[in-house]
């Protein structure tokens, strides 16, 4: 240090320094005051002890005008999330990132301990605390040891309460005067165990609160939880009943906990979908016996509607173990949920599921359960559609027609929507009336549980009929936005978003399509439904292909097939493994396998894998009638023929496709027409009449972008 130049001595965690270290620093501070030596100390003020040599040294240094003190604030949540992502030993979900960020409260040391010492399992049941990393538990225990008896009582109460409390309420519960409570709060603030905001105080950060909770004896926890339940009940005319129930449960009074949990669940219908799930889960957790079976059945329905299928299957199976506690309608609904969840998860084959649904349907008919029967019939329709065998829908449509005049509004609404979807296969325009009637019935009758599904049916028919850009479509999208916050039917919401993403992809609005796919990712994050995941990934494949981004399309297709991402080398690509999909257990239903083949084949052509593409074409040949064949598969076969040098056959195939689709399916017809006029121009055999017809159709459907695309071909080819 006596040598020329500047020197910096940095000591971290200085609060733990011993007397010898402090004596050395006193010596250095006296000897090197000429400015060529800088002492940098990092310490946590809350760990300092009064009268300790470290504390005295810091007080002396802070009094020196040459000393600069920098008070560090917590890291903002945005950067804390990035820190957690980059330092975690495994990939974290959005939910886990949120939990770690909230528990760490801006403290990187807390975040590191949470990630490395206890993983990210931060969840707990209604009676269990969050696991606290040992190093943090020891640190916080050391701070608590320095508190006097009054401060220990205050912090015990605050960690049990979990919420903020006013000074007046604190004095009332503690039987202390305000000065005593303020003295205790000041001690706690100095050790950073509480936050004081306005007139309220609470234990913070959350990980500290959980650590302190674990230091309480069972008897003290029980007493404090009972006091908290009484306090919450008395604080307002409309107390949060779920929190009252939780405190009684933790106090060991299960009877009172159950009663308040039932009240909270009954009041949940006016809350958001997330709040309803939260309240029902709490009610389930604090209940036993027949009352629990009823609540579990309700929670199973919510999980099923949000496509958390494994949870729905587990809860439904549990509810059926005590089926005597359920009504006939409840029992049949839960059986339907279990059957469909097993099919969606790939546990049961289609025929097994349809047999079970047929049995449930018959029992519903025998019992006159029309509302339940409507749900069973619509679920049967969905299973048949997923199977890729629409021929089975004819007889089902007859059975559904018998319920169109059902007196139950929800049943009638659901049957109208389902019947419209069946009719839309052959004539989407004719199906619009029924689908629109279902939406109006749900809106006018205040049928919130049926509205999102009705909108899904309606928008699907609007897309099929090409009328989503009209006033009808715009109003339907506004209805979706208005209904989404309160709807528990997130499965229908996600499918609507996928429909909208594909629609905008088809009409060339790629940025809008991307925004809808981002919403799909956000809404569907907690879902474990292979069908919805597959549909979302396929929509991304479609968008990437429309953008001519073959690499991004390949990545998205790899996610559908659960294959490794491409390594980017020209001789070894993920798409080269596409043929392996037949040996895999695909995470997608049979109904989209043809679309999958179309996208895979198209990508093989993009990467000049003509031999592999030909194998896909052989595996998925075209029927003589193309009316039910996916447009993408027709386009793939046509492009393969063109790449093989048979452009005439390719154009003939496309023209067969346009004739089969007819203007009753305008979007399919226009997609094939656009492919036809493009290929015809490249072959010096323009189709101006076809381009003009398509332009006129696009204009009639209020699609100016598509109309402009066709006008280019019509005008240039005439000239």
């Amino acid at each position: 240090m006596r040598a020329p130049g500047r020197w910096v001595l940095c000591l971290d965690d200085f609060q733990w320094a011993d007397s010898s270290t402090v004596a050395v620093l006193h010596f250095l501070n006296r000897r090197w005051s000429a400015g060529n030596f800088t002492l940098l100390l990092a310490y946590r003020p809350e760990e300092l002890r009064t009268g300790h040599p470290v504390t005295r040294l810091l007080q002396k240094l802070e009094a020196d005008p040459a000393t600069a003190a920098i008070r560090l604030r917590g890291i903002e949540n945005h950067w804390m999330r990035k820190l957690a992502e980059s330092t975690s030993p495994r990939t974290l979900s959005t939910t886990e990132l949120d939990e770690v960020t909230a528990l760490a409260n801006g403290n990187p040391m807390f975040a590191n301990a949470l990630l490395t010492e206890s993983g990210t399992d931060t969840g707990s049941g209604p009676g269990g605390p969050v696991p606290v990393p040992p190093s943090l538990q020891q640190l916080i225990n050391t701070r608590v040891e320095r508190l006097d008896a009054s401060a220990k009582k205050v912090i015990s109460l605050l960690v049990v309460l979990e919420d903020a409390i006013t000074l007046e309420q604190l004095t009332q519960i503690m039987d202390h005067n305000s000065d005593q409570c303020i003295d205790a709060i000041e001690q706690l603030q100095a050790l950073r165990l509480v936050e004081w905001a306005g007139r309220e105080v609470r234990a913070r950060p959350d990980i500290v609160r959980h650590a302190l909770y674990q230091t309480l004896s069972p008897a003290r926890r029980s007493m404090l939880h009972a006091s908290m339940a009484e306090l919450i009940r008395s604080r307002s005319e409309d107390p949060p009943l779920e929190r009252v129930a939780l405190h009684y449960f933790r106090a060991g009074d299960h009877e009172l906990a159950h009663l308040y949990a039932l009240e909270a669940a009954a009041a949940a219908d006016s809350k958001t979908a997330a709040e309803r799930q939260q309240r029902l889960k709490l009610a389930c957790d604090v209940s036993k016996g027949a009352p629990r079976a009823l609540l579990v059945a309700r929670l199973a329905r919510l999980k099923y509607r949000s496509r958390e299928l494994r949870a729905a299957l587990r809860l439904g199976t549990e509810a059926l173990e005590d089926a005597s506690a359920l009504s006939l309608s409840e029992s049949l609904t839960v059986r339907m949920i279990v059957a469909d969840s097993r099919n969606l998860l790939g546990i049961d084959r289609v025929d097994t599921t349809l047999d079970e649904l047929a049995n449930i349907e018959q029992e519903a008919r025998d019992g006159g359960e029309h509302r339940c029967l409507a749900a069973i019939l619509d679920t049967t329709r969905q299973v048949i559609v997923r199977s890729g065998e629409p021929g089975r829908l004819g007889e089902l449509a007859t059975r559904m027609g018998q319920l169109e005049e059902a007196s139950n509004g929800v049943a009638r609404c659901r049957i109208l929507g389902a019947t419209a979807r069946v009719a839309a296969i052959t004539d989407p325009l004719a199906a619009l009336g029924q689908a629109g009637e279902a939406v109006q019935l749900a809106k006018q009758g205040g049928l919130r549980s049926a509205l999102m599904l009705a909108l899904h049916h309606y928008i699907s028919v609007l897309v099929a009929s090409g009328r989503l850009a009209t006033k009808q479509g715009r109003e339907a999208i506004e209805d979706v936005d208005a209904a989404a916050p309160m709807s528990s039917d997130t499965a229908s919401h996600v499918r609507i978003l996928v429909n909208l993403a594909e629609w905008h992809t088809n009409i060339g609005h790629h940025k809008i399509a991307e925004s809808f796919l981002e919403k799909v990712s956000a809404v569907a994050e907690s879902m474990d439904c292979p069908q919805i995941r597959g549909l979302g990934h396929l929509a991304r494949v479609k968008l990437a292909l429309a953008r001519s981004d073959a690499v991004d399309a390949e990545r998205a297709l790899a996610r559908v097939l659960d294959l490794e991402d491409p390594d980017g080398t020209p001789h070894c690509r993920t798409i080269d493994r596409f043929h392996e999909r037949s040996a895999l257990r695909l995470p997608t239903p049979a109904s989209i396998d043809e679309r999958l083949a179309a996208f895979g084949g198209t990508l093989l052509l993009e990467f000049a894998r003509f031999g592999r593409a030909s194998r896909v074409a052989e595996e998925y040949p075209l029927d003589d009638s193309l009316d039910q064949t996916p447009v993408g598969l027709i386009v793939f076969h046509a492009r393969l023929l063109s790449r093989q040098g048979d452009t005439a056959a390719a154009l003939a195939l496309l023209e067969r496709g346009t004739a089969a689709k007819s203007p009753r399916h305008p979007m399919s017809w226009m997609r094939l027409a656009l492919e036809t006029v493009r290929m015809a121009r490249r072959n010096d055999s323009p189709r101006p009449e076809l381009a003009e017809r398509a332009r006129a159709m696009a204009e009639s459907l209020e699609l100016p972008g598509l109309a402009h695309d066709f006008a280019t071909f019509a005008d240039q080819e005439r000239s």
Side-chain angles (χ1 to χ4, degrees):
M1 292 184 193
R2 295 180 60 87
R6 292 183 177 275
W7 294 88
V8 177
L9 175 61
C10 178
L11 298 178
D12 195 11
D13 277 333
F14 187 63
Q15 69 275 3
W16 308 127
D18 58 14
S19 300
S20 299
T21 303
V22 171
V24 170
L25 293 182
H26 272 296
F27 172 78
L28 294 175
N29 185 51
R30 290 194 302 271
R31 294 294 187 275
W32 279 273
S33 58
N36 61 338
F37 170 55
T38 299
L39 178 62
L40 180 61
L41 305 176
Y43 64 95
R44 295 194 293 273
E46 60 271 21
E47 309 300 343
L48 298 177
R49 294 178 178 272
T50 303
H52 191 277
V54 169
T55 305
R56 291 198 299 269
L57 172 62
L58 291 171
Q59 290 171 342
K60 177 182 177 182
L61 292 175
E62 287 184 357
D64 188 337
T67 298
I70 301 173
R71 308 291 179 185
L72 299 180
R73 296 179 297 175
I75 298 175
E76 295 178 2
N77 284 349
H78 170 71
W79 295 110
M80 181 59 77
R81 287 174 64 88
K82 286 188 173 294
L83 176 67
E85 281 184 296
S86 62
T87 59
S88 173
R90 66 178 180 85
T91 302
L92 302 178
S93 69
T94 300
T95 301
E96 289 172 325
L97 282 171
D98 289 341
E99 291 174 346
V100 170
T101 301
L103 288 170
N105 196 42
N107 191 318
M109 180 184 70
F110 290 175
N112 182 65
L114 285 165
L115 293 168
T116 59
E117 294 184 45
S118 62
T120 53
D121 181 16
T122 54
S124 64
V130 166
V132 178
S135 64
L136 294 187
Q137 186 70 57
Q138 182 180 4
L139 177 69
I140 293 163
N141 289 348
T142 302
R143 294 186 194 177
V144 173
E145 291 171 0
R146 295 162 56 187
L147 299 172
D148 63 23
S150 179
K152 286 181 179 179
K153 288 182 179 179
V154 169
I155 194 60
S156 297
L157 184 146
L158 292 177
V159 300
V160 167
L161 179 62
E162 299 183 11
D163 201 1
I165 187 174
T166 66
L167 180 61
E168 291 79 6
Q169 292 167 335
L170 184 61
T171 57
Q172 176 186 347
I173 298 172
M174 295 294 300
D175 196 24
H176 286 359
N177 61 42
S178 57
D179 285 341
Q180 290 173 311
C181 287
I182 290 173
D183 287 343
I185 291 170
E186 286 177 344
Q187 284 187 58
L188 296 169
Q189 275 188 297
L191 296 177
R192 295 193 183 184
L193 298 175
V194 299
E195 283 182 357
W196 178 267
R199 298 176 61 250
E200 295 183 325
V201 64
R202 65 177 298 174
R204 288 282 288 174
D206 284 344
I207 192 63
V208 169
R209 178 172 57 78
H210 290 297
L212 291 169
Y213 186 85
Q214 294 184 23
T215 66
L216 301 178
S217 68
R220 184 169 294 278
R221 289 183 193 177
S222 177
M223 179 195 70
L224 290 172
H225 278 299
S227 298
M228 289 307 99
E230 296 297 328
L231 172 65
I232 294 170
R233 285 176 52 196
S234 64
R235 278 167 65 172
S236 71
E237 296 180 359
D238 184 25
L241 298 175
E242 69 278 6
R243 295 194 58 227
V244 176
L246 183 60
H247 280 296
Y248 275 129
F249 182 83
R250 289 179 175 173
D253 193 335
H254 292 178
E255 183 176 350
L256 275 178
H258 173 67
L259 291 175
Y260 279 102
L262 286 180
E263 285 191 48
D269 288 340
S270 61
K271 306 297 182 180
T272 66
E275 289 175 311
R276 288 200 294 277
Q277 279 211 32
Q278 182 183 24
R279 290 191 177 197
L280 272 175
K281 183 180 184 306
L282 172 64
C284 289
D285 288 341
V286 302
S287 301
K288 297 180 179 179
R292 175 178 168 84
L294 291 168
L295 293 167
V296 167
R298 287 184 62 187
L299 186 58
R301 288 198 296 273
L302 282 180
K303 293 293 185 183
Y304 174 68
R305 286 161 65 85
S306 63
R307 286 302 184 264
E308 297 174 63
L309 296 178
R310 288 180 177 81
L313 181 57
R314 173 178 53 78
L315 292 164
T317 302
E318 179 187 341
L320 292 174
E321 290 173 356
D322 194 6
S324 60
L326 308 177
S327 68
L328 176 61
S329 176
E330 290 166 334
S331 176
L332 294 175
T333 300
V334 173
R335 284 173 59 191
M336 178 197 75
I337 289 170
V338 169
D340 195 33
S341 296
R342 289 176 64 86
N343 179 256
L344 283 165
L345 289 169
I347 300 171
D348 289 341
R349 293 180 175 275
V350 168
D351 287 339
T352 302
T353 303
L354 289 176
D355 288 344
E356 173 64 7
L357 289 174
N359 293 333
I360 299 170
E361 178 187 341
Q362 188 57 54
E363 291 182 43
R365 288 187 185 278
D366 294 342
E369 296 289 350
H370 285 173
R371 177 171 177 171
C372 179
L373 181 58
I376 295 164
L377 289 171
D378 190 25
T379 301
T380 302
R381 178 194 65 81
Q382 294 177 51
V383 174
I384 292 173
V385 170
R386 292 198 302 265
S387 74
E389 301 178 28
R392 295 185 177 192
L393 291 172
E395 194 270 332
L396 177 66
T398 302
R399 304 204 306 272
M400 290 195 298
Q402 298 169 0
L403 277 182
E404 284 190 18
E405 300 303 321
S407 58
N408 182 281
V410 173
R412 186 160 178 262
C413 178
R414 186 152 190 172
I415 285 297
L416 282 169
T419 304
R421 294 295 295 279
V422 175
I425 294 173
T426 55
D427 194 348
L429 190 58
L432 271 179
Q434 287 177 309
E437 185 182 349
V439 172
Q440 290 306 313
L441 182 62
K443 290 171 66 176
Q444 293 168 5
L447 308 177
R448 189 174 65 188
S449 64
L451 179 56
M452 190 62 76
L453 179 59
L455 285 166
H456 169 50
H457 291 322
Y458 188 37
I459 285 178
S460 296
V461 177
L462 282 166
V463 169
S465 63
R467 281 161 173 74
L468 191 63
T470 65
K471 181 181 178 182
Q472 290 173 289
R474 294 192 296 271
E475 290 176 348
I477 294 171
E478 290 174 0
D479 288 339
V480 171
D481 292 339
M486 298 298 291
S487 175
S488 59
D489 190 1
T490 49
S492 293
H493 186 205
V494 167
R495 287 182 293 205
I496 289 171
L497 295 173
V498 172
N499 279 347
L500 295 176
E502 293 203 349
W503 167 270
H504 285 287
T505 298
N506 288 337
I507 64 176
H509 296 168
H510 297 162
K511 287 186 178 179
I512 298 176
E514 179 65 33
S515 70
F516 278 116
L517 287 175
E518 288 174 358
K519 291 180 182 178
V520 168
S521 298
V523 177
E525 184 192 6
S526 63
M527 297 182 179
D528 55 8
C529 177
Q531 180 199 25
I532 286 183
R533 285 206 310 269
L535 289 172
H537 291 323
L538 284 179
R540 288 198 173 276
V541 176
K542 185 174 186 177
L543 176 59
L545 287 173
R547 286 173 163 170
S548 299
D549 188 344
V551 173
D552 191 41
E554 185 182 25
R555 291 195 185 99
L557 193 64
R559 288 192 287 271
V560 179
L561 298 173
D562 198 22
L563 299 175
E564 295 179 2
D565 281 345
D567 61 10
T569 61
H571 302 295
C572 181
R573 306 201 66 92
T574 300
I575 196 61
D576 292 330
R577 297 180 57 200
F578 182 73
H579 66 282
E580 297 177 16
R581 74 196 185 288
S582 58
L584 298 172
R585 186 169 189 175
L586 287 177
T588 52
S591 59
I592 59 177
D593 198 28
E594 286 185 319
R595 293 182 61 199
L596 187 64
F599 290 139
T602 301
L603 268 175
L604 287 167
L605 291 178
E606 290 293 321
F607 289 112
R609 267 58 170 180
F610 301 126
R612 296 179 188 276
S614 297
R615 288 174 58 184
V616 174
E618 291 171 2
E619 189 177 349
Y620 287 88
L622 298 177
D623 295 330
D624 293 335
S625 172
L626 300 177
D627 59 332
Q628 297 300 318
T629 304
V631 172
L633 194 60
I634 299 173
V635 170
F636 159 61
H637 275 269
R639 290 181 181 178
L640 178 60
L641 287 170
S642 178
R643 297 287 181 93
Q644 291 171 338
D646 196 349
T647 306
L651 283 170
L653 173 58
L654 291 172
E655 288 169 343
R656 277 181 54 212
T658 54
K661 295 301 179 184
S662 81
R664 285 187 305 177
H665 296 84
M667 296 308 296
S668 297
W669 185 85
M670 284 190 291
R671 284 182 62 199
L672 287 171
L674 188 58
E675 185 75 16
T676 302
V677 296
R678 284 173 173 167
M679 188 177 293
R681 173 188 284 181
R682 291 195 298 269
N683 197 42
D684 294 326
S685 56
R687 304 288 198 275
E689 297 83 3
L690 179 61
E692 180 57 33
R693 283 178 59 200
R695 182 199 62 76
M697 178 178 287
E699 286 184 347
S700 70
L701 296 174
E702 301 182 33
L703 299 171
L706 275 180
H708 178 268
D709 289 342
F710 284 113
T712 302
F713 289 98
D715 295 342
Q716 289 183 4
E717 288 164 2
R718 281 200 197 94
S719 63

